[in-house]
Amino acid sequence: GTVYLTGQVSLTGEDARGQSIDILNKIDALLEQAGTDKSKLLTSMIWVKDMKTDFAPMNEVWNAWIDPNNKPTRACVESPLARESLRVEVQVTAAVGGDTNALRAKL
């Protein structure tokens, strides 16, 4: 199966780094509830409010968090977000059970 986590944002982090940490912790918890984990991520989409100021701190947190042996496809774009205080938004798709590599091959 597959789990889709859309529109994950942080309501407590004050900057891109803090928001990224909050978001990825939330994603870990949601993936666990769905019976999977970040090693089974298939795709990710990340929006940052300002590529010049928000990408580097978000990317540093992302690189420390992601399973280095099972990196998903990823896109990152600059975009206005739903609230003025938001700096980062993340969407991920993950496999649940089954053969993750077979699912990745279909992408």
Side-chain angles (χ1 to χ4, degrees), residues 42-101:
L42 303 171
T43 65
S44 60
M45 178 67 188
I46 301 171
W47 295 267
V48 294
K49 186 172 186 173
D50 184 317
M51 195 63 80
K52 290 180 184 175
T53 61
D54 299 329
F55 177 79
M58 174 284 302
N59 198 50
E60 180 182 338
V61 172
W62 175 268
N63 286 338
W65 175 79
I66 199 70
D67 180 338
N69 297 316
N70 297 289
K71 294 179 181 178
T73 61
R74 182 181 91 163
C76 183
V77 297
E78 179 179 280
S79 177
L81 300 175
R83 293 184 179 150
E84 186 62 30
S85 62
L86 297 178
R87 309 299 305 176
V88 179
E89 182 172 339
V90 179
Q91 171 184 317
V92 297
T93 305
V96 179
D99 183 356
T100 304
N101 290 328

Tab-separated table of all heavy atoms in Angstrom, residues 42-101:
chain	number	residue	atom	x	y	z
A	42	LEU	N	8.890	7.281	-1.025
A	42	LEU	CA	8.975	7.151	-2.481
A	42	LEU	C	9.223	8.511	-3.132
A	42	LEU	O	10.071	8.637	-4.005
A	42	LEU	CB	7.695	6.534	-3.035
A	42	LEU	CG	7.318	5.168	-2.469
A	42	LEU	CD1	5.925	4.782	-2.926
A	42	LEU	CD2	8.347	4.131	-2.875
A	43	THR	N	8.449	9.514	-2.715
A	43	THR	CA	8.552	10.852	-3.287
A	43	THR	C	8.422	11.897	-2.192
A	43	THR	O	7.829	11.645	-1.137
A	43	THR	CB	7.454	11.117	-4.340
A	43	THR	OG1	6.183	11.095	-3.694
A	43	THR	CG2	7.486	10.095	-5.455
A	44	SER	N	8.944	13.074	-2.486
A	44	SER	CA	8.769	14.206	-1.585
A	44	SER	C	8.680	15.483	-2.410
A	44	SER	O	9.283	15.598	-3.474
A	44	SER	CB	9.933	14.302	-0.588
A	44	SER	OG	11.146	14.480	-1.284
A	45	MET	N	7.898	16.409	-1.900
A	45	MET	CA	7.753	17.732	-2.510
A	45	MET	C	7.894	18.729	-1.375
A	45	MET	O	7.214	18.599	-0.344
A	45	MET	CB	6.385	17.862	-3.188
A	45	MET	CG	6.124	19.189	-3.808
A	45	MET	SD	7.214	19.444	-5.216
A	45	MET	CE	6.856	21.136	-5.581
A	46	ILE	N	8.780	19.690	-1.552
A	46	ILE	CA	9.020	20.681	-0.506
A	46	ILE	C	8.830	22.071	-1.100
A	46	ILE	O	9.347	22.376	-2.179
A	46	ILE	CB	10.450	20.541	0.066
A	46	ILE	CG1	10.642	19.132	0.631
A	46	ILE	CG2	10.702	21.602	1.136
A	46	ILE	CD1	12.063	18.811	1.025
A	47	TRP	N	8.089	22.888	-0.379
A	47	TRP	CA	7.901	24.280	-0.740
A	47	TRP	C	8.606	25.127	0.307
A	47	TRP	O	8.449	24.873	1.507
A	47	TRP	CB	6.418	24.654	-0.759
A	47	TRP	CG	5.627	23.957	-1.809
A	47	TRP	CD1	5.350	24.407	-3.068
A	47	TRP	CD2	4.983	22.674	-1.694
A	47	TRP	NE1	4.580	23.478	-3.738
A	47	TRP	CE2	4.343	22.406	-2.913
A	47	TRP	CE3	4.889	21.736	-0.671
A	47	TRP	CZ2	3.621	21.247	-3.142
A	47	TRP	CZ3	4.172	20.577	-0.899
A	47	TRP	CH2	3.545	20.341	-2.121
A	48	VAL	N	9.368	26.116	-0.122
A	48	VAL	CA	9.962	27.084	0.794
A	48	VAL	C	9.489	28.473	0.401
A	48	VAL	O	9.247	28.748	-0.783
A	48	VAL	CB	11.508	27.016	0.805
A	48	VAL	CG1	11.986	25.691	1.371
A	48	VAL	CG2	12.106	27.276	-0.554
A	49	LYS	N	9.344	29.319	1.386
A	49	LYS	CA	8.849	30.666	1.129
A	49	LYS	C	9.857	31.489	0.327
A	49	LYS	O	9.482	32.230	-0.568
A	49	LYS	CB	8.534	31.361	2.448
A	49	LYS	CG	7.895	32.706	2.282
A	49	LYS	CD	7.434	33.241	3.614
A	49	LYS	CE	6.649	34.527	3.412
A	49	LYS	NZ	6.065	34.966	4.664
A	50	ASP	N	11.139	31.366	0.672
A	50	ASP	CA	12.179	32.144	0.000
A	50	ASP	C	13.388	31.241	-0.233
A	50	ASP	O	14.038	30.813	0.721
A	50	ASP	CB	12.560	33.347	0.865
A	50	ASP	CG	13.560	34.268	0.199
A	50	ASP	OD1	14.532	33.769	-0.420
A	50	ASP	OD2	13.396	35.494	0.300
A	51	MET	N	13.664	30.946	-1.482
A	51	MET	CA	14.745	30.018	-1.812
A	51	MET	C	16.092	30.523	-1.286
A	51	MET	O	16.921	29.735	-0.828
A	51	MET	CB	14.806	29.816	-3.327
A	51	MET	CG	15.631	28.641	-3.762
A	51	MET	SD	15.018	27.026	-3.205
A	51	MET	CE	13.719	26.696	-4.385
A	52	LYS	N	16.321	31.822	-1.311
A	52	LYS	CA	17.609	32.375	-0.887
A	52	LYS	C	17.857	32.218	0.609
A	52	LYS	O	18.986	31.971	1.020
A	52	LYS	CB	17.705	33.849	-1.283
A	52	LYS	CG	17.828	34.053	-2.774
A	52	LYS	CD	17.911	35.520	-3.116
A	52	LYS	CE	17.945	35.691	-4.630
A	52	LYS	NZ	17.913	37.088	-5.015
A	53	THR	N	16.834	32.365	1.419
A	53	THR	CA	17.035	32.316	2.873
A	53	THR	C	16.577	31.016	3.521
A	53	THR	O	17.076	30.662	4.587
A	53	THR	CB	16.322	33.488	3.578
A	53	THR	OG1	14.919	33.406	3.316
A	53	THR	CG2	16.860	34.820	3.117
A	54	ASP	N	15.647	30.301	2.907
A	54	ASP	CA	15.042	29.136	3.553
A	54	ASP	C	15.566	27.793	3.053
A	54	ASP	O	15.511	26.801	3.774
A	54	ASP	CB	13.518	29.158	3.385
A	54	ASP	CG	12.888	30.374	4.026
A	54	ASP	OD1	13.436	30.864	5.037
A	54	ASP	OD2	11.853	30.843	3.529
A	55	PHE	N	16.086	27.745	1.817
A	55	PHE	CA	16.496	26.454	1.271
A	55	PHE	C	17.647	25.832	2.055
A	55	PHE	O	17.584	24.655	2.433
A	55	PHE	CB	16.875	26.551	-0.208
A	55	PHE	CG	17.354	25.242	-0.760
A	55	PHE	CD1	16.445	24.254	-1.122
A	55	PHE	CD2	18.713	24.965	-0.878
A	55	PHE	CE1	16.873	23.022	-1.608
A	55	PHE	CE2	19.152	23.735	-1.356
A	55	PHE	CZ	18.233	22.770	-1.718
A	56	ALA	N	18.717	26.555	2.288
A	56	ALA	CA	19.906	25.980	2.940
A	56	ALA	C	19.597	25.413	4.326
A	56	ALA	O	19.967	24.267	4.613
A	56	ALA	CB	21.043	26.994	2.995
A	57	PRO	N	18.906	26.164	5.214
A	57	PRO	CA	18.615	25.573	6.524
A	57	PRO	C	17.656	24.386	6.442
A	57	PRO	O	17.824	23.389	7.158
A	57	PRO	CB	18.030	26.718	7.349
A	57	PRO	CG	17.752	27.827	6.407
A	57	PRO	CD	18.535	27.574	5.165
A	58	MET	N	16.670	24.452	5.545
A	58	MET	CA	15.759	23.312	5.376
A	58	MET	C	16.542	22.109	4.862
A	58	MET	O	16.397	20.991	5.357
A	58	MET	CB	14.640	23.673	4.385
A	58	MET	CG	13.710	22.534	4.004
A	58	MET	SD	14.353	21.296	2.825
A	58	MET	CE	14.774	22.291	1.401
A	59	ASN	N	17.408	22.326	3.885
A	59	ASN	CA	18.150	21.239	3.265
A	59	ASN	C	19.114	20.581	4.255
A	59	ASN	O	19.298	19.364	4.231
A	59	ASN	CB	18.902	21.758	2.035
A	59	ASN	CG	19.312	20.652	1.115
A	59	ASN	OD1	18.504	19.807	0.740
A	59	ASN	ND2	20.572	20.643	0.746
A	60	GLU	N	19.708	21.364	5.124
A	60	GLU	CA	20.595	20.815	6.149
A	60	GLU	C	19.828	19.870	7.078
A	60	GLU	O	20.287	18.762	7.377
A	60	GLU	CB	21.216	21.946	6.960
A	60	GLU	CG	22.149	21.475	8.049
A	60	GLU	CD	22.714	22.621	8.878
A	60	GLU	OE1	22.739	23.761	8.395
A	60	GLU	OE2	23.132	22.348	10.014
A	61	VAL	N	18.648	20.287	7.502
A	61	VAL	CA	17.808	19.450	8.373
A	61	VAL	C	17.354	18.208	7.601
A	61	VAL	O	17.399	17.090	8.117
A	61	VAL	CB	16.600	20.252	8.905
A	61	VAL	CG1	15.621	19.355	9.642
A	61	VAL	CG2	17.083	21.388	9.805
A	62	TRP	N	16.913	18.389	6.368
A	62	TRP	CA	16.465	17.265	5.525
A	62	TRP	C	17.571	16.223	5.374
A	62	TRP	O	17.354	15.036	5.555
A	62	TRP	CB	16.021	17.779	4.160
A	62	TRP	CG	15.668	16.699	3.189
A	62	TRP	CD1	16.498	16.107	2.281
A	62	TRP	CD2	14.411	16.049	3.034
A	62	TRP	NE1	15.833	15.146	1.558
A	62	TRP	CE2	14.533	15.093	2.006
A	62	TRP	CE3	13.167	16.203	3.650
A	62	TRP	CZ2	13.483	14.287	1.587
A	62	TRP	CZ3	12.121	15.401	3.229
A	62	TRP	CH2	12.277	14.455	2.218
A	63	ASN	N	18.779	16.680	5.034
A	63	ASN	CA	19.891	15.756	4.802
A	63	ASN	C	20.269	14.983	6.061
A	63	ASN	O	20.671	13.819	5.974
A	63	ASN	CB	21.105	16.497	4.246
A	63	ASN	CG	20.922	16.885	2.794
A	63	ASN	OD1	20.112	16.303	2.076
A	63	ASN	ND2	21.658	17.888	2.362
A	64	ALA	N	20.138	15.601	7.220
A	64	ALA	CA	20.423	14.906	8.486
A	64	ALA	C	19.322	13.902	8.819
A	64	ALA	O	19.569	12.903	9.496
A	64	ALA	CB	20.570	15.922	9.617
A	65	TRP	N	18.111	14.148	8.347
A	65	TRP	CA	16.945	13.315	8.689
A	65	TRP	C	16.767	12.126	7.748
A	65	TRP	O	16.450	11.022	8.177
A	65	TRP	CB	15.690	14.191	8.663
A	65	TRP	CG	14.401	13.465	8.869
A	65	TRP	CD1	13.883	13.034	10.064
A	65	TRP	CD2	13.448	13.101	7.859
A	65	TRP	NE1	12.668	12.420	9.852
A	65	TRP	CE2	12.380	12.446	8.509
A	65	TRP	CE3	13.395	13.259	6.481
A	65	TRP	CZ2	11.269	11.966	7.830
A	65	TRP	CZ3	12.287	12.775	5.801
A	65	TRP	CH2	11.246	12.141	6.479
A	66	ILE	N	16.987	12.333	6.472
A	66	ILE	CA	16.647	11.324	5.472
A	66	ILE	C	17.509	10.068	5.626
A	66	ILE	O	18.658	10.147	6.024
A	66	ILE	CB	16.776	11.934	4.048
A	66	ILE	CG1	16.004	11.116	3.026
A	66	ILE	CG2	18.216	12.099	3.626
A	66	ILE	CD1	14.541	11.205	3.168
A	67	ASP	N	16.938	8.913	5.321
A	67	ASP	CA	17.689	7.657	5.327
A	67	ASP	C	18.632	7.680	4.119
A	67	ASP	O	18.175	7.678	2.975
A	67	ASP	CB	16.709	6.484	5.229
A	67	ASP	CG	17.384	5.126	5.226
A	67	ASP	OD1	18.583	5.034	4.881
A	67	ASP	OD2	16.709	4.144	5.563
A	68	PRO	N	19.957	7.716	4.346
A	68	PRO	CA	20.890	7.866	3.218
A	68	PRO	C	20.879	6.690	2.240
A	68	PRO	O	21.298	6.838	1.098
A	68	PRO	CB	22.258	7.993	3.901
A	68	PRO	CG	22.078	7.352	5.230
A	68	PRO	CD	20.637	7.578	5.624
A	69	ASN	N	20.379	5.550	2.665
A	69	ASN	CA	20.317	4.385	1.784
A	69	ASN	C	19.007	4.267	1.027
A	69	ASN	O	18.851	3.376	0.196
A	69	ASN	CB	20.557	3.108	2.590
A	69	ASN	CG	21.936	3.087	3.205
A	69	ASN	OD1	22.915	3.428	2.553
A	69	ASN	ND2	22.007	2.725	4.472
A	70	ASN	N	18.058	5.138	1.338
A	70	ASN	CA	16.727	5.052	0.719
A	70	ASN	C	16.177	6.445	0.466
A	70	ASN	O	15.125	6.823	0.979
A	70	ASN	CB	15.771	4.273	1.628
A	70	ASN	CG	16.220	2.850	1.811
A	70	ASN	OD1	16.143	2.053	0.895
A	70	ASN	ND2	16.726	2.536	2.993
A	71	LYS	N	16.873	7.209	-0.349
A	71	LYS	CA	16.443	8.576	-0.631
A	71	LYS	C	15.294	8.567	-1.639
A	71	LYS	O	15.375	7.911	-2.676
A	71	LYS	CB	17.603	9.387	-1.187
A	71	LYS	CG	18.709	9.603	-0.187
A	71	LYS	CD	19.839	10.394	-0.805
A	71	LYS	CE	20.956	10.588	0.191
A	71	LYS	NZ	22.087	11.324	-0.401
A	72	PRO	N	14.227	9.313	-1.341
A	72	PRO	CA	13.117	9.411	-2.291
A	72	PRO	C	13.435	10.422	-3.393
A	72	PRO	O	14.380	11.204	-3.274
A	72	PRO	CB	11.975	9.939	-1.417
A	72	PRO	CG	12.676	10.820	-0.422
A	72	PRO	CD	13.975	10.094	-0.121
A	73	THR	N	12.638	10.413	-4.431
A	73	THR	CA	12.721	11.517	-5.385
A	73	THR	C	12.293	12.764	-4.626
A	73	THR	O	11.500	12.696	-3.678
A	73	THR	CB	11.799	11.299	-6.593
A	73	THR	OG1	10.451	11.223	-6.146
A	73	THR	CG2	12.174	10.046	-7.357
A	74	ARG	N	12.822	13.919	-5.033
A	74	ARG	CA	12.487	15.141	-4.305
A	74	ARG	C	12.474	16.317	-5.257
A	74	ARG	O	13.341	16.453	-6.114
A	74	ARG	CB	13.510	15.407	-3.206
A	74	ARG	CG	13.171	16.645	-2.383
A	74	ARG	CD	14.209	16.905	-1.312
A	74	ARG	NE	15.246	17.792	-1.832
A	74	ARG	CZ	16.095	18.465	-1.058
A	74	ARG	NH1	16.051	18.338	0.260
A	74	ARG	NH2	17.005	19.240	-1.582
A	75	ALA	N	11.487	17.170	-5.064
A	75	ALA	CA	11.444	18.458	-5.740
A	75	ALA	C	11.311	19.520	-4.661
A	75	ALA	O	10.684	19.290	-3.625
A	75	ALA	CB	10.258	18.527	-6.696
A	76	CYS	N	11.921	20.667	-4.896
A	76	CYS	CA	11.820	21.776	-3.956
A	76	CYS	C	11.637	23.047	-4.764
A	76	CYS	O	12.431	23.326	-5.666
A	76	CYS	CB	13.071	21.854	-3.083
A	76	CYS	SG	12.970	23.162	-1.838
A	77	VAL	N	10.599	23.800	-4.426
A	77	VAL	CA	10.303	25.033	-5.151
A	77	VAL	C	10.007	26.161	-4.172
A	77	VAL	O	9.634	25.928	-3.025
A	77	VAL	CB	9.109	24.855	-6.119
A	77	VAL	CG1	9.414	23.826	-7.187
A	77	VAL	CG2	7.843	24.486	-5.366
A	78	GLU	N	10.165	27.365	-4.665
A	78	GLU	CA	9.805	28.550	-3.892
A	78	GLU	C	8.345	28.885	-4.171
A	78	GLU	O	7.903	28.837	-5.315
A	78	GLU	CB	10.693	29.717	-4.315
A	78	GLU	CG	10.405	31.010	-3.593
A	78	GLU	CD	11.329	32.117	-4.043
A	78	GLU	OE1	12.475	32.155	-3.564
A	78	GLU	OE2	10.899	32.925	-4.893
A	79	SER	N	7.607	29.200	-3.101
A	79	SER	CA	6.191	29.488	-3.277
A	79	SER	C	5.660	30.282	-2.082
A	79	SER	O	6.083	30.044	-0.954
A	79	SER	CB	5.397	28.184	-3.382
A	79	SER	OG	4.018	28.439	-3.476
A	80	PRO	N	4.706	31.184	-2.322
A	80	PRO	CA	4.012	31.774	-1.170
A	80	PRO	C	3.254	30.655	-0.457
A	80	PRO	O	2.698	29.772	-1.116
A	80	PRO	CB	3.038	32.773	-1.795
A	80	PRO	CG	3.404	32.884	-3.234
A	80	PRO	CD	4.217	31.682	-3.586
A	81	LEU	N	3.258	30.658	0.857
A	81	LEU	CA	2.569	29.613	1.610
A	81	LEU	C	1.298	30.173	2.224
A	81	LEU	O	1.039	31.380	2.178
A	81	LEU	CB	3.513	29.013	2.654
A	81	LEU	CG	4.778	28.374	2.049
A	81	LEU	CD1	5.720	27.907	3.136
A	81	LEU	CD2	4.418	27.233	1.122
A	82	ALA	N	0.487	29.318	2.803
A	82	ALA	CA	-0.864	29.687	3.239
A	82	ALA	C	-0.898	30.741	4.353
A	82	ALA	O	-1.858	31.486	4.452
A	82	ALA	CB	-1.621	28.436	3.695
A	83	ARG	N	0.134	30.761	5.181
A	83	ARG	CA	0.199	31.748	6.272
A	83	ARG	C	1.511	32.502	6.169
A	83	ARG	O	2.535	31.943	5.802
A	83	ARG	CB	0.121	31.056	7.630
A	83	ARG	CG	-1.200	30.415	7.893
A	83	ARG	CD	-1.229	29.850	9.298
A	83	ARG	NE	-2.528	29.258	9.539
A	83	ARG	CZ	-2.729	28.249	10.339
A	83	ARG	NH1	-1.724	27.715	11.003
A	83	ARG	NH2	-3.940	27.767	10.510
A	84	GLU	N	1.500	33.742	6.557
A	84	GLU	CA	2.698	34.583	6.497
A	84	GLU	C	3.855	33.987	7.289
A	84	GLU	O	5.015	34.088	6.883
A	84	GLU	CB	2.369	35.988	7.020
A	84	GLU	CG	3.498	36.976	6.862
A	84	GLU	CD	3.907	37.246	5.418
A	84	GLU	OE1	3.065	37.171	4.509
A	84	GLU	OE2	5.108	37.525	5.216
A	85	SER	N	3.571	33.345	8.411
A	85	SER	CA	4.628	32.818	9.282
A	85	SER	C	5.261	31.517	8.765
A	85	SER	O	6.332	31.126	9.238
A	85	SER	CB	4.076	32.568	10.687
A	85	SER	OG	3.048	31.582	10.636
A	86	LEU	N	4.634	30.868	7.809
A	86	LEU	CA	5.175	29.599	7.303
A	86	LEU	C	6.366	29.838	6.390
A	86	LEU	O	6.327	30.697	5.501
A	86	LEU	CB	4.097	28.818	6.548
A	86	LEU	CG	2.890	28.377	7.369
A	86	LEU	CD1	1.880	27.668	6.489
A	86	LEU	CD2	3.318	27.503	8.529
A	87	ARG	N	7.428	29.055	6.606
A	87	ARG	CA	8.635	29.126	5.778
A	87	ARG	C	8.809	27.863	4.936
A	87	ARG	O	9.462	27.891	3.905
A	87	ARG	CB	9.882	29.299	6.656
A	87	ARG	CG	9.853	30.411	7.669
A	87	ARG	CD	9.701	31.784	7.110
A	87	ARG	NE	10.703	32.115	6.112
A	87	ARG	CZ	10.709	33.262	5.432
A	87	ARG	NH1	9.781	34.170	5.639
A	87	ARG	NH2	11.635	33.491	4.533
A	88	VAL	N	8.242	26.711	5.413
A	88	VAL	CA	8.456	25.413	4.774
A	88	VAL	C	7.158	24.603	4.821
A	88	VAL	O	6.434	24.651	5.815
A	88	VAL	CB	9.568	24.617	5.505
A	88	VAL	CG1	9.782	23.249	4.867
A	88	VAL	CG2	10.865	25.400	5.561
A	89	GLU	N	6.899	23.861	3.760
A	89	GLU	CA	5.803	22.892	3.722
A	89	GLU	C	6.334	21.641	3.023
A	89	GLU	O	7.084	21.748	2.052
A	89	GLU	CB	4.607	23.452	2.960
A	89	GLU	CG	3.415	22.522	2.908
A	89	GLU	CD	2.177	23.180	2.309
A	89	GLU	OE1	2.088	24.416	2.284
A	89	GLU	OE2	1.302	22.420	1.858
A	90	VAL	N	5.952	20.462	3.543
A	90	VAL	CA	6.478	19.207	3.002
A	90	VAL	C	5.338	18.230	2.734
A	90	VAL	O	4.436	18.078	3.553
A	90	VAL	CB	7.490	18.549	3.972
A	90	VAL	CG1	8.013	17.232	3.417
A	90	VAL	CG2	8.646	19.500	4.280
A	91	GLN	N	5.416	17.557	1.604
A	91	GLN	CA	4.507	16.469	1.242
A	91	GLN	C	5.361	15.250	0.937
A	91	GLN	O	6.375	15.362	0.250
A	91	GLN	CB	3.709	16.867	0.013
A	91	GLN	CG	2.882	15.748	-0.590
A	91	GLN	CD	2.201	16.210	-1.861
A	91	GLN	OE1	1.673	17.301	-1.932
A	91	GLN	NE2	2.242	15.373	-2.877
A	92	VAL	N	4.977	14.088	1.467
A	92	VAL	CA	5.706	12.854	1.152
A	92	VAL	C	4.719	11.739	0.821
A	92	VAL	O	3.575	11.753	1.262
A	92	VAL	CB	6.639	12.386	2.299
A	92	VAL	CG1	7.723	13.410	2.574
A	92	VAL	CG2	5.873	12.058	3.552
A	93	THR	N	5.210	10.783	0.048
A	93	THR	CA	4.491	9.558	-0.256
A	93	THR	C	5.403	8.416	0.163
A	93	THR	O	6.597	8.434	-0.141
A	93	THR	CB	4.198	9.449	-1.762
A	93	THR	OG1	3.496	10.618	-2.176
A	93	THR	CG2	3.384	8.213	-2.082
A	94	ALA	N	4.845	7.434	0.877
A	94	ALA	CA	5.653	6.310	1.359
A	94	ALA	C	4.938	4.994	1.102
A	94	ALA	O	3.709	4.918	1.103
A	94	ALA	CB	5.933	6.453	2.854
A	95	ALA	N	5.745	3.958	0.916
A	95	ALA	CA	5.218	2.608	0.782
A	95	ALA	C	4.872	2.072	2.162
A	95	ALA	O	5.518	2.402	3.154
A	95	ALA	CB	6.242	1.707	0.118
A	96	VAL	N	3.830	1.255	2.209
A	96	VAL	CA	3.430	0.572	3.435
A	96	VAL	C	3.436	-0.917	3.125
A	96	VAL	O	2.665	-1.379	2.286
A	96	VAL	CB	2.029	1.008	3.922
A	96	VAL	CG1	1.641	0.253	5.175
A	96	VAL	CG2	1.968	2.503	4.135
A	97	GLY	N	4.334	-1.668	3.781
A	97	GLY	CA	4.440	-3.100	3.502
A	97	GLY	C	4.962	-3.330	2.098
A	97	GLY	O	5.341	-2.407	1.384
A	98	GLY	N	5.014	-4.559	1.689
A	98	GLY	CA	5.409	-4.901	0.328
A	98	GLY	C	6.840	-4.563	-0.003
A	98	GLY	O	7.655	-4.264	0.861
A	99	ASP	N	7.145	-4.570	-1.270
A	99	ASP	CA	8.487	-4.354	-1.780
A	99	ASP	C	8.649	-2.899	-2.209
A	99	ASP	O	8.193	-2.489	-3.270
A	99	ASP	CB	8.734	-5.292	-2.966
A	99	ASP	CG	10.136	-5.202	-3.521
A	99	ASP	OD1	10.926	-4.356	-3.049
A	99	ASP	OD2	10.438	-5.987	-4.434
A	100	THR	N	9.319	-2.118	-1.387
A	100	THR	CA	9.516	-0.700	-1.672
A	100	THR	C	10.289	-0.496	-2.958
A	100	THR	O	9.969	0.389	-3.749
A	100	THR	CB	10.259	-0.024	-0.502
A	100	THR	OG1	9.515	-0.255	0.693
A	100	THR	CG2	10.398	1.466	-0.717
A	101	ASN	N	11.309	-1.300	-3.209
A	101	ASN	CA	12.102	-1.141	-4.430
A	101	ASN	C	11.271	-1.379	-5.677
A	101	ASN	O	11.468	-0.713	-6.687
A	101	ASN	CB	13.325	-2.059	-4.395
A	101	ASN	CG	14.338	-1.594	-3.380
A	101	ASN	OD1	14.475	-0.388	-3.137
A	101	ASN	ND2	15.040	-2.515	-2.772
